[in-house]
Amino acid sequence: MKLMIVTETAEKIKSMEIRGAGRIARTAADALRLHATALTTGDLDTFRGEMEAAAQVLIATRPTAVSLPNAVHLVMAGLKHETTVKEARDGVIRRASRFMESSQEAVGKIARIGARHIRDGDVILTHCNSEAALSCIIEAHRNGKNIEVFATEVRPRNQGLVTIRTLNAAGIRTNFIVDSAVRSFINDVDLVIVGADAVTVNGAVVNKIGTSQVAHSAHEARVNVLVAAETYKFAPRTILGELISIEERPGNEVLPDEIAQTLKNVTVRNPAFDITPAEYIDLIVTEEGAIPPQMAYIIIKEYLGWGIEEFHNAFEINLGHEE
Ligand code: RUB
């Protein structure tokens, strides 16, 4: 009963009713806030245990967007030092509220910084539906720049529809294309702008499946690729060489079961994300400024507070003698 808000939120994230890395992170933080508010126990250990269980349920929903565990850890940080239930509850509420607020502010800052990299007359291509990427495009349009957009369809879940509705509402001239048409139009494009679910320490960007093909086409055509990503999308544990796991979703998102069942030799594969190497990315715009992807470690160390030595201490890792 007490976990209701958490299980409902987890269900909505899994089914993608709530989607997009930033929104997933804010909603998870809010669920933890509401859960802490609803917990009636007077026992600190029970409170901590209930919060930890809720955190695990939320983190387990979708594996790729690093914003989710980063947000959950931010909200849960401090819980082990708080000495009464009231202190712990207030702490969770304060940290969750601060995260939600700063996450929203970050998108506004990214919009202002990203818009500076868009020139009057630019044709921009975007893939999937990223709040951070769209905020840059919309800000440039608000600043009076005459821009035009190519937006992909984004099979199989059609997030491109959400993108074109937003661009249309903002009054931005938009071309809607199927995913496989990117290379045919790339020579008409001046700049690619996409969002991110995760950024690794070596500057690789994990985003909606197809992003790496878009970036590859752009690289080949010498079109710049800009990634709009809040700092909490950077993945600290990649410092240890940990890989980002790529979510594989059910095949029936791609091919209806009644057809798939008639094709005994066919397996439908449906990875939801892919990895674009740093060499195909020109700039990552964060709320702290625009950086080349090779500087991702600085964001992880300076803004998320995780340096290689913190990992060394936290996990008692002997960096020289790992198996
Ligand atoms: C969404 C997606 C978005 C990033 C960034 O994938 O790949 O580009 O999450 O979005 P899905 P934002 O639809 O599977 O969640 O900038 O809104 O955080």
Side-chain angles (χ1 to χ4, degrees):
M1 191 60 189
K2 276 176 282 172
L3 268 174
M4 194 76 126
I5 178 70
V6 171
T7 46
E8 275 173 10
T9 304
E11 225 16 80
K12 285 181 185 167
I13 295 174
K14 267 191 210 156
S15 68
M16 292 174 62
E17 184 181 331
I18 295 166
R19 49 148 298 281
R23 193 155 164 250
I24 288 172
R26 281 193 296 278
T27 312
D30 200 30
L32 289 174
R33 181 185 68 83
L34 293 169
H35 188 57
T37 310
L39 281 177
T40 50
T41 179
D43 178 62
L44 184 60
D45 283 339
T46 310
F47 182 86
R48 283 187 187 135
E50 294 271 0
M51 288 307 300
E52 194 46 51
Q56 290 314 320
V57 168
L58 291 164
I59 287 177
T61 52
R62 290 191 80 188
T64 302
V66 169
S67 53
L68 173 60
N70 278 353
V72 168
H73 289 145
L74 267 170
V75 175
M76 299 291 284
L79 206 55
K80 61 175 179 293
H81 303 299
E82 284 151 347
T83 53
T84 65
V85 169
K86 180 174 173 2
E87 207 186 311
R89 178 182 293 115
D90 290 350
V92 167
I93 294 171
R94 190 178 58 249
R95 289 186 292 271
S97 307
R98 199 190 308 137
F99 174 76
M100 288 187 283
E101 208 174 298
S102 63
S103 158
Q104 209 67 70
E105 276 170 19
V107 175
K109 286 184 193 158
I110 288 172
R112 290 190 287 282
I113 301 169
R116 284 189 223 135
H117 295 272
I118 299 173
R119 294 162 308 179
D120 189 27
D122 269 357
V123 176
I124 299 157
L125 186 140
T126 191
H127 181 60
C128 198
N129 176 256
S130 157
E131 194 187 14
L134 284 179
S135 73
C136 301
I137 298 171
I138 291 169
E139 180 72 8
H141 171 74
R142 279 203 199 113
N143 293 345
K145 290 175 187 167
N146 176 25
I147 54 177
E148 182 176 343
V149 175
F150 277 83
T152 50
E153 185 184 23
V154 195
R155 278 272 291 151
R157 295 295 298 255
N158 303 315
Q159 287 92 332
L161 267 182
V162 186
T163 294
I164 58 171
R165 285 198 183 107
T166 304
L167 292 168
N168 181 63
I172 298 172
R173 213 149 28 104
T174 301
N175 306 280
F176 188 46
I177 59 172
V178 296
D179 302 324
S180 42
V182 167
R183 195 157 177 260
S184 297
F185 287 111
I186 200 73
N187 288 316
D188 301 335
V189 169
D190 299 296
L191 180 65
V192 169
I193 306 184
V194 291
D197 282 81
V199 181
T200 70
V201 69
N202 59 5
V205 167
V206 182
N207 192 48
K208 180 53 54 194
I209 190 80
T211 302
S212 67
Q213 284 177 191
V214 171
H216 189 247
S217 290
H219 186 70
E220 181 193 43
R222 293 172 176 268
V223 171
N224 282 346
V225 176
L226 187 154
V227 174
E230 301 90 313
T231 50
Y232 59 82
K233 291 174 181 167
F234 286 64
R237 297 182 67 94
T238 57
I239 291 179
L240 300 177
E242 192 172 290
L243 302 176
I244 305 286
S245 62
I246 301 293
E247 175 184 11
E248 182 141 359
R249 296 192 58 86
N252 61 9
E253 289 187 345
V254 177
L255 193 68
D257 285 335
E258 30 321 349
I259 299 177
Q261 278 153 12
T262 65
L263 304 169
K264 292 289 172 231
N265 297 316
V266 175
T267 307
V268 180
R269 300 294 306 269
N270 185 19
F273 300 96
D274 67 16
I275 302 167
T276 302
E279 63 196 284
Y280 294 163
I281 297 159
D282 295 282
L283 209 58
I284 303 180
V285 176
T286 77
E287 71 275 20
E288 300 296 340
I291 57 160
Q294 291 75 10
M295 274 176 67
Y297 177 67
I298 306 289
I299 297 288
I300 293 175
K301 184 167 170 57
E302 300 300 321
Y303 298 100
L304 297 181
W306 283 103
I308 193 108
E309 55 289 347
E310 279 85 359
F311 273 110
H312 187 270
N313 297 336
F315 300 104
E316 292 175 352
I317 289 162
N318 185 337
L319 292 171
H321 297 91
E322 272 188 282
E323 292 189 342

